[in-house]
Amino acid sequence: MIRTISYLWKNIFLTCLISLMAVLSYSKDKVPVTGTMRYLENERIKLGIDIDLGGAITYLADQTNGGENMINSYDWGRQIQLSYYSGPWPYIGPNGEEPDPHWRGLGWNPIQSGDAGGNRSKVIEFEYRGKQSMYVRCIPMQWPHRKGIAGECEFECLYTLDNNVFTIEATIHNQRPDSSQYRACTQEMPALYTNGKWYQLVTYLGDQPFQDKPVTVVVNKNDHKGWPWVHFYTPEQWVALVDDSGKGIGVFQPEVMEFNAGFHGGDPAKGHGGTKDAQTGHIAPTARQILDHNINWTYRTSFILGTIEDIRIYAKKHRKTNPYIEWVFNHTRNGWFYEGHMKDTGWPLNNALDIIFEKNAKLVGPITFWEAGRASYLEVEGVFLTAGHELNVEIIIQPVGKSDGTDWLNWSEGNHSTEKERQEKLTKYPVTDAFLINKKIQADGTNRTYRIRLSDSPHYKGAMKNLSVKFLNDGTAQIKKIKLCN
């Protein structure tokens, strides 16, 4: 027994000594530790996360542009932090706890900082990984609740600095007792909130990405815009908030082409305000995802400090350049989801979308971008089975249209009406209708690669942004791959 205790104390001593040496090592590398804050710093960026708020980013300074904190923390729904959405609607707590009526419609919504009642998320692991990276793992809180309801999941974040860029590698590990497969929801990847100084919202809206076409100022001073948030399509996959000098922060998300963004606080507040003021700029890359009860889902988003030119150059350099678009369903849905009566066997995938569907159900692809002239065919590899061994499908293709050349309100509020805006913009920004290609395929349970010629349609010209498959009878399928090719 004495030997066992001595061995135990020896190990405790060694562990503490190693930890102390690590702290001293990081001090030499000028990685500061202050109270609940943990920082990364290089010559350009100082980045801080709050351990008391789940490791969310509460401090970001561009040390060549004034060195002010850019991040707004008016409440715990802001910062730069992870936030996820799923059903049911409303989400009732494990002991029957009701959500705040104001947030009831959000459903299941764990976030990194804390809940609407001020209950903090809990960090369960933190470490520095050299001078340039830090890692945090937390148990988030259900934002719509005020009684401290934990998120039934864990979040992981790896923050990394590289010159004027920092990257978040974010992962959700779901551990929900409710195994229902809820519909795909729009996920923020992630949400950014800036102080009022960074108010001017800029991006590229158009169908000729990375060809040095003019950018669009979506929100500016004295334009009565910004709230409600707006949404838009940008095939360059970046959005920026800049100050009066034209410098600020850009968000680049290489997996998505739709964003929510805006400015809250009204025209007089644009260009002014600190971390605890209500006015704030906002950017969130968005995509619809199914969040299974046991899913592990990771995305990687980059934040670039500097001018619009700096941000755009970074996005161009790091975009996906493959002219052919291919989705292989080995272990992930790759952003595809379902509408109507369709579901799969859940996560993780076993090398296919293993689905069962009823008549008129749709398999919907992610919002993307491709040129029709570079992809004449659609290939689908998989096993289909129907009662009559024949399946009628509609290939639904959405072109990039003039309506994608502007932003649109997310909701109606006060004098801002989505219907009024739609009517006002219809002449200048008409909506381009999707078109259909009908096809009959064999569905006898044999694995095949089906090749469908898209270029036979007279509407298949120019830029395209979305692909869906509608099934016109009942059946099952194991879909292994979908590819656009010549």
Side-chain angles (χ1 to χ4, degrees), residues 399-418:
V400 178
K402 289 187 176 180
S403 61
D404 296 305
T406 188
D407 59 278
W408 300 89
L409 287 170
N410 271 18
W411 65 87
S412 298
E413 184 174 317
N415 294 326
H416 299 282
S417 164
T418 56

Side-chain angles (χ1 to χ4, degrees), residues 124-197:
I124 55 177
E125 186 177 356
F126 171 83
E127 66 177 6
Y128 282 112
R129 295 184 175 177
K131 290 192 298 183
Q132 298 301 306
S133 296
M134 56 184 169
Y135 165 87
V136 66
R137 187 180 183 105
C138 77
I139 299 173
M141 303 300 290
Q142 289 286 348
W143 169 259
H145 285 261
R146 292 184 171 272
K147 296 183 178 180
I149 307 300
E152 301 178 309
C153 58
E154 293 179 3
F155 292 171
E156 282 186 309
C157 277
L158 178 66
Y159 303 104
T160 303
L161 299 189
D162 183 11
N163 297 319
N164 67 322
V165 178
F166 72 91
T167 299
I168 299 177
E169 185 176 294
T171 303
I172 181 173
H173 301 276
N174 257 357
Q175 303 157 359
R176 299 188 63 181
D178 179 1
S179 61
S180 303
Q181 187 175 100
Y182 293 104
R183 61 172 171 82
C185 291
T186 299
Q187 311 296 338
E188 299 169 317
M189 299 170 63
L192 157 73
Y193 290 87
T194 64
N195 293 326
K197 182 176 178 179

Side-chain angles (χ1 to χ4, degrees), residues 8 28 36 60 74 80 142 155 169 189 224 253 270 276 339 366 408 441 446 448 465 486:
L8 175 63
K28 291 178 182 177
T36 66
L60 173 66
Y74 175 76
I80 301 177
Q142 289 286 348
F155 292 171
E169 185 176 294
M189 299 170 63
H224 307 294
Q253 216 314 317
K270 291 174 178 176
K276 293 298 182 180
E339 292 182 353
W408 300 89
I441 64 173
T446 301
R448 291 185 175 87
K465 74 173 191 176
N486 266 328

